[in-house]
Amino acid sequence: MCQSDHPELHSTACTLAVGALIVIRGEDPATISNGTIIIFRPFLSTPDYLVVHRVAKIVPANSSPDGQYDFFTRGDANPYAVGGYDSWSGPSGSVPGSQIVGVYQFTIPIPYLGAAILDIRGFMYDDATGRPKTQGILVIVALIVALFAFEVAEPGKKTPPSNVPDQTRTTVALTMA
């Protein structure tokens, strides 16, 4: 499952591997073209759920029943025949322009960084309510207390390094005697 670099070549190379962290940019729906990878909210009832797909067909605002640009998308890894589209909540299964969050810019090249961030977020926050979980708050408090304890508990053990090597000090002491 990935967005391919060149879907028309049926390449197995991925632009967006599962778990990748991507950077997006907000974009006016009127400037989006076919083949652009977009990020959108397919269902208004779940605003935190985002989908990353490639634009396969655009319906201009003056031809659309809802009066805005509508986008038919397709995930590169989805096994459709040529011309097949994914079905979403807009007119005839399209994605309304108002539900587009942005367009893909580039990927942060650290494998599974995005998945790790989502896992941490899932541990810290309740996805249903968007509110912090008790366990997440307790972990943050414990980390702050531990950091404070390590920094403050034993300040005498930390001595600033001297710029003069030990051998030089010994030599100077012997010469003076």
Side-chain angles (χ1 to χ4, degrees):
M1 296 209 309
C2 69
Q3 293 295 347
S4 174
D5 281 325
H6 303 286
E8 67 279 0
L9 301 177
H10 303 289
S11 168
T12 58
C14 291
T15 300
L16 309 176
V18 173
L21 181 62
I22 64 171
V23 175
I24 65 173
R25 180 188 72 220
E27 189 79 25
D28 179 6
T31 62
I32 296 173
S33 59
N34 279 333
T36 302
I37 297 174
I38 61 171
I39 296 79
F40 59 93
R41 292 183 176 95
F43 313 109
L44 295 176
S45 60
T46 53
D48 288 342
Y49 183 73
L50 299 174
V51 173
V52 180
H53 273 189
R54 190 176 303 276
V55 173
K57 178 183 172 187
I58 301 170
V59 177
N62 59 4
S63 302
S64 172
D66 61 359
Q68 60 180 321
Y69 281 86
D70 289 321
F71 299 88
F72 288 88
T73 67
R74 179 176 170 198
D76 292 345
N78 292 347
Y80 294 111
V82 175
Y85 309 114
D86 295 308
S87 183
W88 302 109
S89 60
S92 304
S94 65
V95 177
S98 60
Q99 291 175 229
I100 293 179
V101 176
V103 297
Y104 167 79
Q105 295 300 297
F106 60 91
T107 303
I108 305 283
I110 301 173
Y112 301 103
L113 179 61
I117 290 170
L118 289 176
D119 287 345
I120 292 168
R121 182 181 178 274
F123 177 77
M124 301 292 291
Y125 293 96
D126 183 358
D127 287 335
T129 63
R131 304 188 88 202
K133 291 181 180 177
T134 305
Q135 68 200 27
I137 293 170
L138 291 175
V139 167
I140 294 294
V141 168
L143 289 172
I144 291 170
V145 168
L147 179 63
F148 182 74
F150 286 122
E151 290 295 321
V152 175
E154 299 181 18
K157 289 194 175 185
K158 294 181 182 177
T159 57
S162 172
N163 291 336
V164 180
D166 288 337
Q167 291 175 339
T168 308
R169 275 190 246 143
T170 306
T171 308
V172 171
L174 290 176
T175 356
M176 289 185 172

